[in-house]
Amino acid sequence: MTSKDSGHSIAHSPVVIDIAGHELDANDRRRLLHPLTGGLIFFSRNFRDRAQLTAVTAEVKALRADLLITVDHEGGRVQRFRRDGFTHLPPMRVLGELWMKDAMRATAAATAAGYVLGAELRSCGVDLSYTPVVDLDHGNSEVIGDRAMHRDPRVVALLAKSLMHGLLQAGMANCGKHFPAHGYAAADSHFELPIDKRSLKAILAEDVRPYDWLSTSLSSVMPAHIVYPKIDSWPAGFSARWLRDILRGQLGYQGAIISDDLSMAGARAAGSALDGGIAALNAGCDMVLLCNQSIHDGGAPVDVLLDGLLAAAERGAWQPDATSEARRLELLPLTPPLPWDELMHQPAYQHALERLP
């Protein structure tokens, strides 16, 4: 892939960045054209209304048709777009609660939630939501809390697969998170580095089971910024033991691995965001996220990561990987989305709305 303004050609565009506001400025356009930029992540600050969102996604695709446009849009408290017609989706724990009353209705509701979520986002030009959460509800983690579907890994796996089926019907890939487990450690990895002191046997017996059972269905996986000291001294997202040996080797997972935000406190074990990006890519991540840094110093931290990774590749500190690039491209939708007005009158969408819990 070639960036005209940089003169560099590279076979792998692993970095997902953000923008500061509602529209692209000159610096945003320059960064989106950087040879290492492979995606864009939106936050609530980037949303004014559907017309604005659709216009900015169209402009991004006009710059780079291959860019993956993403958002954290799970439902409940993690839903970036909540106005101008977007359906307010329930927290995923509601699906688990419904399962305890009527398991089959819960699976139907999960599929409906996935379809509504995916179809609404896609109609505005968004390619991927980082969902479903497949962390188990151990009752310990406030940051996960009602984002988790259930305590039982079997229930989590079946509800997640049902939700992923709905996403697939909308033409959207999926992202299981946070591998191997974020439901047991109490600390919030946005603000500190959580520690999970359980044994590998204990984690594999419960929290990792959904990743095993869904290994042929998950389009992408996001590892946790959590240290499991009995397995590795590095957080999972920087650990070749977790990513290459266990996720890819033991579980046979073939899809994309996308790091959690390199600016989170839990990522600082690797050093700077640039250090973390290099460590994550070397550990087995195909893509790395850098969030909320376009709003600082005119986006200078984004440039530091992009240009630093480019220089690091040139000196051999990490190796661009064509297989990783293929995994990134496989996350792009294969079908055109329905425009919003058409979607609102589509019988399948109306039926899905009726099946939401």
Side-chain angles (χ1 to χ4, degrees), residues 4 22 54 59 63 75 84 92 106 124 177 186 198 234 238 254 279 289 316 320 339-340:
K4 295 178 182 178
H22 294 146
T54 305
E59 185 179 358
L63 281 173
D84 200 15
M92 292 297 99
C124 295
K177 59 187 186 184
R198 292 178 297 166
W234 283 95
F238 306 127
Q254 300 296 310
L289 276 167
W340 186 275

Side-chain angles (χ1 to χ4, degrees), residues 15-18 41 43 45 72 80 130 177-178 182 189-192 222-226 235 237-238 258-274 276-277 280 285 287-296 301-302 305:
V15 184
V16 181
I17 64 174
D18 65 351
I41 180 170
F43 292 91
R45 68 170 185 276
D72 260 333
R80 305 307 185 200
Y130 298 107
K177 59 187 186 184
H178 305 80
H182 205 321
S189 57
H190 291 85
F191 304 109
E192 54 186 305
M222 180 176 289
H225 288 322
I226 295 178
F238 306 127
I258 308 172
S259 85
D260 209 340
D261 177 16
L262 295 174
S263 70
M264 288 165 57
R268 291 181 193 148
S272 68
L274 175 57
C285 285
M287 302 167 67
V288 293
L289 276 167
L290 185 67
C291 302
N292 297 312
Q293 299 306 295
S294 63
I295 58 178
H296 300 297
V302 184
L305 177 63

Side-chain angles (χ1 to χ4, degrees), residues 8-71:
H8 291 281
S9 179
I10 199 161
H12 182 191
S13 300
V15 184
V16 181
I17 64 174
D18 65 351
I19 60 173
H22 294 146
E23 287 84 28
L24 301 182
D25 62 22
N27 283 324
D28 294 325
R29 296 183 188 95
R30 173 179 56 79
R31 291 177 188 126
L32 292 173
L33 288 170
H34 192 283
L36 291 191
T37 299
L40 173 64
I41 180 170
F42 284 127
F43 292 91
S44 297
R45 68 170 185 276
N46 302 125
F47 180 76
R48 183 172 59 231
D49 53 44
R50 284 186 292 106
Q52 166 267 326
L53 178 62
T54 305
V56 75
T57 57
E59 185 179 358
V60 170
K61 290 293 187 177
L63 281 173
R64 288 267 304 278
D66 72 301
L67 278 178
L68 183 70
I69 301 177
T70 71
V71 69

